[in-house]
């Protein structure tokens, strides 16, 4: 077994299972997706470390535990249509793609979106579609979604995302409270459209920037100028 394979075993046993990730489908997805393909060349040796890693544009690929925890909390099932906001490297979307029928992921940095799309086609993750846009608008043409996973922290849940959540759907997103603390929220919409929120965990994510997120940051595309990459 080489170093990375050993590190992956440690990730699965110590960083995931021992901390309460017990959904076997999530664990299988985490075992299947080669995280080293999603990080910069110089960071390959740390691919399975228990921490976020830098990617381009000052963004990060989330810690493996957080990726697994969000996927498990979103209770993604085999036939589900999933929307991710914040494709970043594409790693989280690739994991979700192993769990769901189809994943659409939206990234505001077009360069990151292009790289993520290139990785999906290189690795053969044909059910993952990358879009370059402001994801705080969701993806109206793909709605409704059984699960929505937001991987950047905003002041509140963007209303378009709630609208695009199917009855019975689950949304997982980091939301900021006072003093810069972020809470990972689980939002459920019941079959009658009623919405309930459960705080899950204290977290630290990069900001969700955009129309229904934080102001500024120079959005590269808007809803009218949506670009389908893959
Ligand atoms: N899921 C990613 C981690 C992404 S970090 C992975 O597995 O690698 C969060 C990402 O959200 C960043 O790439 C950032 O550019 C993106 N982001 C921030 N605001 C956004 C918005 N309004 N729409 C789409 N993406 C956004």
């Amino acid at each position: 077994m080489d170093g990375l394979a050993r590190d992956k075993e440690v990730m699965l046993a110590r960083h995931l299972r021992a901390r309460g990730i017990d959904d076997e489908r999530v664990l299988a997805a985490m075992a299947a997706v080669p995280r080293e393909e999603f990080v910069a060349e110089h960071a390959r040796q740390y691919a399975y470390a228990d921490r976020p890693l830098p990617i381009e544009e000052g963004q990060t690929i989330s810690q493996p535990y957080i990726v697994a925890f969000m996927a498990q909390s979103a209770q993604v099932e085999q036939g589900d249509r999933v929307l991710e906001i914040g494709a970043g490297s594409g790693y989280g979307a690739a994991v979700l793609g192993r769990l769901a029928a189809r994943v659409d992921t939206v990234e505001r940095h077009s360069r990151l979106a292009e790289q993520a799309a290139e990785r999906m086609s290189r690795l053969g993750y044909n059910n993952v579609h990358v879009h370059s846009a402001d994801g705080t608008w969701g993806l109206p043409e793909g709605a409704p979604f059984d699960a929505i996973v937001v991987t950047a922290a905003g002041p509140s849940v963007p209303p378009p995302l709630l609208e695009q959540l199917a009855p019975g759907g689950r949304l997982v997103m980091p939301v900021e409270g006072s003093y810069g603390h972020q809470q990972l929220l689980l939002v459920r919409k019941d079959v009658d459209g009623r919405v309930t929120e459960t705080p899950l965990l204290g977290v630290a994510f990069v900001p969700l920037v955009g129309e229904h997120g934080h102001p500024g940051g120079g959005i590269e595309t808007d809803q009218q100028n949506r670009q389908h990459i893959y």
Side-chain angles (χ1 to χ4, degrees):
M1 208 188 268
D2 69 9
L4 281 177
R6 214 169 18 243
D7 292 351
K8 188 188 267 191
E9 291 302 318
V10 171
M11 173 190 81
L12 291 166
R14 268 196 241 154
H15 306 153
L16 304 184
R17 241 181 234 284
R19 286 199 197 129
I21 305 299
D22 55 7
D23 182 328
E24 293 300 330
R25 295 185 67 237
V26 171
L27 289 162
M30 295 295 293
V33 178
R35 195 169 152 92
E36 62 275 22
E37 298 294 335
F38 293 82
V39 302
E41 190 60 38
H42 65 85
R44 273 178 86 91
Q45 57 181 314
Y46 308 114
Y48 294 96
D50 183 29
R51 48 175 261 214
L53 292 171
I55 56 175
E56 278 85 4
E57 310 287 356
Q59 306 300 321
T60 53
I61 172 172
S62 305
Q63 180 190 9
Y65 171 70
I66 291 292
V67 176
F69 185 82
M70 290 176 93
Q72 178 166 288
S73 302
Q75 296 163 313
V76 180
E77 287 173 20
Q78 222 153 30
D80 281 357
R81 291 205 50 166
V82 177
L83 175 66
E84 182 195 49
I85 307 302
S89 67
Y91 176 71
V95 170
L96 292 168
R98 305 286 300 190
L99 299 169
R102 176 185 170 116
V103 176
D104 286 280
T105 182
V106 185
E107 171 55 53
R108 64 179 279 266
H109 280 296
S110 53
R111 214 161 69 85
L112 290 179
E114 275 160 29
Q115 288 173 347
E118 186 275 317
R119 285 187 179 111
M120 296 310 157
S121 68
R122 183 157 43 86
L123 297 171
Y125 294 137
N126 300 327
N127 65 337
V128 181
H129 302 262
V130 183
H131 309 259
S132 172
D134 173 6
T136 67
W137 290 103
L139 194 69
E141 63 268 34
F145 296 96
D146 303 298
I148 299 179
V149 175
V150 184
T151 69
S156 57
V157 179
L161 298 186
L162 273 186
E163 281 160 27
Q164 292 169 30
L165 192 60
R170 294 82 51 201
L171 178 152
V172 179
M173 170 177 173
V175 170
E176 281 135 17
S178 44
Y179 307 110
H181 291 295
Q182 299 175 7
Q183 280 282 349
L184 195 61
L185 288 187
L186 171 62
V187 179
R188 283 178 222 262
K189 190 188 264 189
D190 71 16
V191 285
D192 301 318
R194 269 188 307 260
V195 167
T196 52
E197 277 185 12
T198 316
L200 299 175
L201 194 69
V203 288
F205 277 83
V206 299
L208 181 73
V209 181
E211 180 70 23
H212 299 282
H214 290 289
I219 288 292
E220 295 175 2
T221 55
D222 61 21
Q223 202 180 16
Q224 280 69 45
N225 184 22
R226 189 175 286 284
Q227 196 187 349
H228 180 78
I229 290 209
Y230 180 72

